[in-house]
Each structure stands twice: as structure tokens, then as C-alpha cells.
């Protein structure tokens, strides 16, 4: 018996209430049923039943170990929403039955400069929701599982006006674009924003940008997305990045661009679209390093910057803003046993616009054979 299988068997045996999910055992990335254990509810912990979990492109990178930091067995999922089932004795923010969520992190040092500024996401000791190391040295497991437990500081409240399934992607994709727009002052009414890519992040970038009052141009290599960009998501303009005439006409017209694309691509064309002092904010994660055209930057005092998710305070602010402006992800809800097919489709870009796993209603049906 392999060591990992022995651990699974022993952990399942000592836990009267089984914790389970779907995990990958190696770099093949193939997911299958898996038993494991969560810690007991601590005095500041919130435990909740997972109802839905969004599928992020990062999940695919981790499953395949594209970045060389994956730890197996690996249970992905960092867009996790559900209902509180237990709280610790010192929990003050939540009660049983509350709608809650956990995003990309479940811990940080709470003492560094970033943490002091409510930017736990930039803490050097940030603990990833999955494939990370928790405070006790154990591996963290994500939301493709029946329950979640985390310190209340890293749990957010899902507003009543937001459905759980369409709010799940806000915990990564949503906060990623929201935080970037806010920090780089691309949230000021009347500014012109380019959104590169109309996928999981891109469609939410359009929605938040329009709620901020921006003029929005979607920039895409897929002309077929023009109608959806304009009619479904309310973008003002659509730019086919393979059309040289369109690119020429749009030169020096944008105050900022948010680049959501994870595929390898050139950014020089995008920089030409910016006005002087314009900002290109990269939030997608291509596998190959970007090539930076220095003279294009110098000629217009232009900026290339990156942005990750947001801190806990900003994530709650984003959710409240989304509820106020009726911003929800456009999702395809899938059962747990469709997960490997969904990953294959995601790798090919065949999703409109975010997969969300119906964990609460379908996960338990897949575990009977384990």
C-alpha cells in the first residue's frame, strides 16, 4: 500500500464524521474521490458546509504543477461559499446559518506591514487555501470538499442579495479585478478602460468597470465575443486585436488597461493603446515571462504593474459593492463528477464564463465507491 493511501485509510478510520473531496495525486492533474481530515473547530474558527466552489485557472496550474510549487495529494478550490455549521467560542463575526465564503488565503502573520495595512494578501507568510502549509505544518486543502474551516478573520460574509453560486467566483476573479481598478485609480467615472480577454476575470472586470462609471473597450482576439461584450456585459466598444485598422484607430485613447489573459501574448500592442501616463495592469498569469518594450514605456511615461487579490477588508467591501450594483459572475454550474471534463474544457478556453461546482448537492453522491 502506498504511503498516501495508508494515510487516507487511517485518517478516515479515526474520524467518525468523514471529511471528503476530490483530489489529484500527481502532476497528471486527474481528480478523484479522497478522504482526509480537517482540524477541529478552534475558538476563533468558523466551520461551514461547502455549497459551491468556483474553478479558477490557477486550479489548473496547481493541478499540473506548472509553477513547481504544488503539493500532492492536492484538493483545489479557492472560491468557496457555503453555510456556517459551527463556530468557536470566541467567534464574534458570524453565527450558525450565515452565508459565508473563503477565497485564496486562510492565514497570514498579522504583524507585518502588509497585514497592518489590511493587505494580508501581500504578507510574506500568507497561507494559501490549498497546497499551502497551515500554522501547524499540515497541508491545506481547498473547496472541492464537503466542508471548510478557517479563522474568522479570513472568512467573509456573503450578502443576502447575492446567490451563492454566482458569488463564488467573486472571491478570486472578482476581488482580483476590483482591487486592481481601485488601487491604480482606474475607478474614476469617465475614464477609458481597456479589458484584455473576456473570460472569467475579463467579464467581471467589465461589470465592475461599468459600475464605476467607466468607458469600457473589450480587447480580444475572438471577434465572436463582440456581441456578448457589447450586449450582454454592456461594454462600450469592442476591439479585435488582430485588426490593424482598429488598433491604429484606438492608439493613445485609453487611460488604463487591465490584462486578464493567462495565455502567452505580446503586450507591446497594448502599450500603444494607452495615453501618456497610462497604466497597463497585469492580472493574468501567462507561463512565459512578458517581454517589456522599454522605449514604448519611456516615450509616454507609461506603467506596467501587476496586482493580486485583495486583503480581507477589501474583499468584504467588494462583495458589498457587488450586491449593491447587482454584479454576479456568469457561471456554468456543474456536478462534481464532471470536474475532469471541466478542467479539460478550461484548458482550451471552452467556458462561458466561470465553472462553479455544485458541491453541496453532488459531492456526496460520488463518494459511495471509495
Amino acid at each position: 500500500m502506498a504511503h498516501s493511501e495508508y494515510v487516507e485509510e487511517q485518517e478516515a478510520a479515526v474520524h467518525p464524521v468523514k471529511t471528503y473531496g476530490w483530489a489529484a495525486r500527481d502532476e497528471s492533474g486527474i481528480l478523484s474521490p479522497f478522504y482526509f481530515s480537517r482540524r477541529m473547530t478552534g475558538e476563533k474558527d468558523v466551520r461551514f458546509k461547502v455549497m459551491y466552489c468556483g474553478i479558477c485557472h490557477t486550479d489548473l496550474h496547481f493541478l499540473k504543477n506548472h509553477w513547481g510549487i504544488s503539493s500532492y495529494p492536492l484538493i483545489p478550490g479557492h472560491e468557496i461559499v457555503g453555510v456556517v455549521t459551527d463556530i468557536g467560542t470566541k467567534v464574534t463575526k458570524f453565527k450558525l446559518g450565515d452565508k459565508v465564503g473563503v477565497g485564496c488565503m486562510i492565514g497570514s502573520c498579522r504583524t507585518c506591514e502588509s497585514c497592518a495595512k489590511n493587505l494580508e494578501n501581500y504578507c510574506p507568510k500568507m497561507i494559501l487555501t490549498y497546497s499551502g502549509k497551515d500554522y501547524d505544518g499540515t497541508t491545506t486543502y481547498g473547496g472541492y470538499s464537503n466542508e471548510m474551516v478557517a479563522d474568522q478573520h479570513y472568512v467573509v460574509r456573503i450578502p443576502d442579495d447575492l446567490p451563492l453560486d454566482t458569488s463564488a467566483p467573486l472571491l478570486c476573479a472578482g476581488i482580483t479585478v476590483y482591487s486592481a481598478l481601485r488601487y491604480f485609480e482606474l475607478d474614476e467615472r469617465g475614464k477609458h478602460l481597456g479589458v484584455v480577454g473576456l473570460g472569467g476575470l475579463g467579464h467581471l472586470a467589465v461589470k465592475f468597470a461599468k459600475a464605476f462609471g467607466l468607458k469600457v473597450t473589450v480587447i480580444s482576439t475572438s471577434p465572436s465575443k463582440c456581441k456578448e461584450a457589447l450586449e450582454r456585459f454592456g461594454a462600450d466598444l469592442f476591439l479585435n486585436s488582430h485588426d490593424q485598422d482598429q488598433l491604429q484607430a484606438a492608439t493613445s485613447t485609453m487611460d488604463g488597461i487591465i490584462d486578464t489573459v493567462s495565455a502567452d501574448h505580446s503586450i507591446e500592442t497594448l502599450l500603444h493603446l494607452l495615453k501618456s501616463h497610462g497604466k497597463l495592469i497585469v492580472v493574468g498569469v501567462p507561463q512565459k515571462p512578458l517581454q517589456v518594450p522599454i522605449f514604448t514605456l519611456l516615450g509616454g511615461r507609461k506603467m506596467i504593474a501587476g496586482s493580486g487579490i485583495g486583503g480581507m477588508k477589501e474583499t468584504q467591501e467588494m462583495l458589498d459593492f457587488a450586491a449593491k450594483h447587482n454584479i454576479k459572475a456568469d457561471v456554468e454550474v456543474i456536478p462534481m463528477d464532471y470536474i475532469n471534463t471541466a478542467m479539460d474544457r478550461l484548458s482550451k478556453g471552452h467556458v462561458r464564463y466561470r465553472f462553479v461546482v455544485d458541491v453541496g448537492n453532488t459531492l456526496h453522491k460520488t463518494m459511495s465507491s471509495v
Side-chain angles (χ1 to χ4, degrees), residues 267-344:
I267 61 172
E268 183 164 12
T269 298
L270 302 178
L271 291 171
H272 287 299
L273 301 177
L274 291 171
K275 300 175 182 177
S276 295
H277 318 290
K279 304 167 185 177
L280 172 61
I281 313 304
V282 179
V283 296
V285 188
Q287 286 186 253
K288 295 180 181 179
L290 296 175
Q291 298 296 313
V292 179
I294 297 299
F295 284 108
T296 306
L297 291 181
L298 298 178
R301 191 184 269 173
K302 299 175 183 179
M303 172 193 297
I304 300 174
S307 186
I309 52 171
M312 298 313 304
K313 181 179 180 181
E314 187 175 44
T315 301
Q316 187 64 62
E317 174 190 296
M318 177 274 302
L319 288 169
D320 295 340
F321 182 90
K324 180 179 179 180
H325 294 275
N326 196 31
I327 297 174
K328 306 166 188 174
D330 284 46
V331 304
E332 179 180 339
V333 178
I334 63 169
M336 181 58 73
D337 58 8
Y338 189 77
I339 192 72
N340 289 308
T341 301
M343 288 297 175
D344 182 61

Side-chain angles (χ1 to χ4, degrees), residues 155-166:
V155 179
V156 290
R157 183 181 304 279
I158 306 298
D160 290 337
D161 292 340
L162 289 179
L164 284 176
D165 55 352
T166 56

Side-chain angles (χ1 to χ4, degrees), residues 4-19 34-38 73 138 141:
S4 61
E5 294 174 333
Y6 174 81
V7 171
E8 290 176 38
E9 180 177 284
Q10 294 303 303
E11 289 181 344
V14 300
H15 261 69
V17 180
K18 294 178 180 177
T19 306
F34 173 71
Y35 285 103
F36 67 105
S37 61
R38 299 270 189 205
T138 58
Y141 294 119

Side-chain angles (χ1 to χ4, degrees), residues 107-352:
S108 63
C109 76
R110 306 288 292 276
T111 60
C112 70
E113 183 178 0
S114 290
C115 286
K117 293 179 178 179
N118 297 308
L119 294 170
E120 301 93 338
N121 51 310
Y122 296 122
C123 173
K125 296 181 179 180
M126 181 187 72
I127 300 173
L128 295 174
T129 299
Y130 66 82
S131 201
K133 290 297 180 183
D134 213 336
Y135 297 111
D136 59 2
T138 58
T139 298
T140 57
Y141 294 119
Y144 299 5
S145 58
N146 67 318
E147 67 173 14
M148 193 72 193
V149 60
D151 185 290
Q152 67 172 342
H153 184 78
Y154 304 95
V155 179
V156 290
R157 183 181 304 279
I158 306 298
D160 290 337
D161 292 340
L162 289 179
L164 284 176
D165 55 352
T166 56
S167 63
L170 298 179
L171 297 177
C172 176
I175 184 57
T176 295
V177 297
Y178 179 90
S179 183
L181 295 176
R182 294 277 288 173
Y183 180 81
F184 291 101
E185 299 179 343
L186 294 173
D187 58 347
E188 297 175 5
R189 181 172 295 276
K191 283 191 173 181
H192 186 183
L193 178 76
V195 176
V196 185
L198 194 64
L201 275 73
H203 88 287
L204 285 171
V206 174
K207 291 186 177 189
F208 278 109
K210 291 306 298 180
F212 287 137
L214 306 185
K215 177 182 178 181
V216 178
T217 295
V218 169
I219 305 165
S220 175
T221 60
S222 303
S224 61
K225 291 187 177 181
C226 178
K227 184 175 181 179
E228 287 182 283
L230 300 178
E231 298 180 9
R232 183 173 180 174
F233 300 124
D236 299 281
L237 299 166
F238 181 88
L239 177 57
N240 178 356
S241 55
H242 286 163
D243 187 317
Q244 293 303 312
D245 291 336
Q246 290 187 28
L247 290 173
Q248 182 61 38
T251 298
S252 301
T253 62
M254 300 177 191
D255 298 289
I257 295 174
I258 185 167
D259 186 349
T260 72
V261 175
S262 292
D264 295 325
H265 62 289
S266 170
I267 61 172
E268 183 164 12
T269 298
L270 302 178
L271 291 171
H272 287 299
L273 301 177
L274 291 171
K275 300 175 182 177
S276 295
H277 318 290
K279 304 167 185 177
L280 172 61
I281 313 304
V282 179
V283 296
V285 188
Q287 286 186 253
K288 295 180 181 179
L290 296 175
Q291 298 296 313
V292 179
I294 297 299
F295 284 108
T296 306
L297 291 181
L298 298 178
R301 191 184 269 173
K302 299 175 183 179
M303 172 193 297
I304 300 174
S307 186
I309 52 171
M312 298 313 304
K313 181 179 180 181
E314 187 175 44
T315 301
Q316 187 64 62
E317 174 190 296
M318 177 274 302
L319 288 169
D320 295 340
F321 182 90
K324 180 179 179 180
H325 294 275
N326 196 31
I327 297 174
K328 306 166 188 174
D330 284 46
V331 304
E332 179 180 339
V333 178
I334 63 169
M336 181 58 73
D337 58 8
Y338 189 77
I339 192 72
N340 289 308
T341 301
M343 288 297 175
D344 182 61
R345 285 178 54 191
L346 177 62
S347 70
K348 299 172 182 176
H350 296 167
V351 55
R352 295 288 192 277

